[in-house]
Amino acid sequence: RIAAGQFVIEYVGELIDDRECERRLWEAKRIQESNFYLMEIGTNLVIDARHRANYSRFLNSSCGPNCETQKWRDPATNETRVGIFALRDIEKGEELTYDYKFNHFGGEDTTSFECLCGAPECRGTLDARPERHRDHGRKVAVQWDDNAYYSGVVTKFNTKQRTHTIIYDDGDVELIDLSSVKHRWLSEPTVLVTDKSANKAINRMNQAAAAAGGAGSTSNSERRGGGLGA
């Protein structure tokens, strides 16, 4: 059993600078590699746990995690280190998880990875800003100029412009401010859960991005079978 607050494992890997991080991301894009193990720990300093690491890189993300990451400075070396600590008591056999809270770069159009954690409070995305996924996957009927209603599915929400991207049943795509047109929702709203400690966690988490045109996120991009258990 792991007690609440107990140190679980340190997140380790190669220490690289931002320039090398960018080079590796471009290379990953070139070879169509979609998994990342990058975590920023300071200015111009990133941990890459792809080739030199420990079991910490296999911890999956969850919207209802039992662990969290914490940074501290090693008094012996003055280095910043990242540890994973238990948020609550963890029983033997439980999978160890923490919330990745992906940071995105490249604007609102960068995509996130779907969250598959299965937690009751799952927000459906690994995004650090779940508001970006407002109404994601929700069906809606929008009135057009001919006064007829056309149905489609919401795929994006732009938090700055407050606009939805809708793919209609006939394949047409529209970016639209739903507050300015008549519309009817055909399915229930998406439930989003925002962690109160999001800002704190974001500073601890991944802050490198995939090359332009790819998903602007860093860390494991998919759940691995089994994960890592207590």
Side-chain angles (χ1 to χ4, degrees):
R1 185 183 188 186
I2 301 175
Q6 183 177 332
F7 170 76
V8 177
I9 194 170
E10 182 178 0
Y11 195 92
V12 300
E14 292 181 85
L15 290 178
I16 60 176
D17 59 19
D18 290 345
R19 184 174 182 179
E20 174 62 14
C21 178
E22 181 179 357
R23 187 195 70 77
R24 293 187 183 191
L25 286 168
W26 275 107
E27 175 62 16
K29 179 178 176 63
R30 185 186 69 81
I31 64 175
Q32 298 184 336
E33 172 58 64
S34 60
N35 295 317
F36 304 96
Y37 304 89
L38 300 162
M39 183 182 292
E40 183 184 63
I41 61 174
T43 302
N44 200 33
L45 194 60
V46 177
I47 296 176
D48 185 353
R50 175 179 296 279
H51 299 297
R52 300 177 183 177
N54 59 14
Y55 287 120
S56 64
R57 76 173 188 169
F58 295 114
L59 267 69
N60 283 317
S61 181
S62 174
C63 300
N66 51 25
C67 297
E68 68 173 353
T69 58
Q70 295 181 17
K71 289 198 299 187
W72 78 92
R73 187 166 293 279
D74 188 331
T77 63
N78 202 36
E79 295 177 326
T80 299
R81 305 176 76 166
V82 178
I84 296 174
F85 292 81
L87 284 170
R88 57 170 175 80
D89 292 344
I90 305 173
E91 300 300 326
K92 183 177 180 180
E94 281 192 69
E95 182 181 358
L96 302 176
T97 61
Y98 65 96
D99 193 336
Y100 290 173
K101 285 192 171 64
F102 277 159
N103 247 355
H104 290 259
F105 295 81
E108 289 289 334
D109 289 333
T110 52
T111 59
S112 180
F113 295 108
E114 178 185 5
C115 183
L116 303 174
C117 72
E121 62 269 46
C122 181
R123 60 182 180 266
T125 171
L126 301 188
D127 208 310
R129 294 186 295 138
E131 175 69 4
R132 284 165 30 104
H133 292 260
R134 171 187 285 191
D135 301 318
H136 178 78
R138 195 177 179 192
K139 295 206 68 175
V140 63
V142 180
Q143 187 182 54
W144 283 17
D145 293 340
D146 60 1
N147 293 323
Y149 281 84
Y150 297 88
S151 62
V153 176
V154 174
T155 60
K156 291 181 183 178
F157 177 71
N158 189 302
T159 59
K160 293 182 179 179
Q161 299 177 6
R162 314 302 292 179
T163 54
H164 290 77
T165 297
I166 299 173
I167 297 181
Y168 291 98
D169 294 344
D170 62 1
D172 285 348
V173 179
E174 183 177 27
L175 182 65
I176 188 170
D177 179 0
L178 289 177
S179 66
S180 65
V181 297
K182 291 184 178 180
H183 63 281
R184 296 194 295 254
W185 291 108
L186 305 178
S187 61
E188 294 300 313
T190 303
V191 177
L192 298 176
V193 178
T194 303
D195 189 330
K196 293 181 180 179
S197 62
N199 290 335
K200 185 177 180 181
I202 289 170
N203 290 332
R204 296 172 180 162
M205 293 305 299
N206 310 316
Q207 305 228 338
S217 308
T218 58
S219 192
N220 309 56
S221 64
E222 61 184 10
R223 292 178 58 79
R224 290 164 178 73
L228 189 63

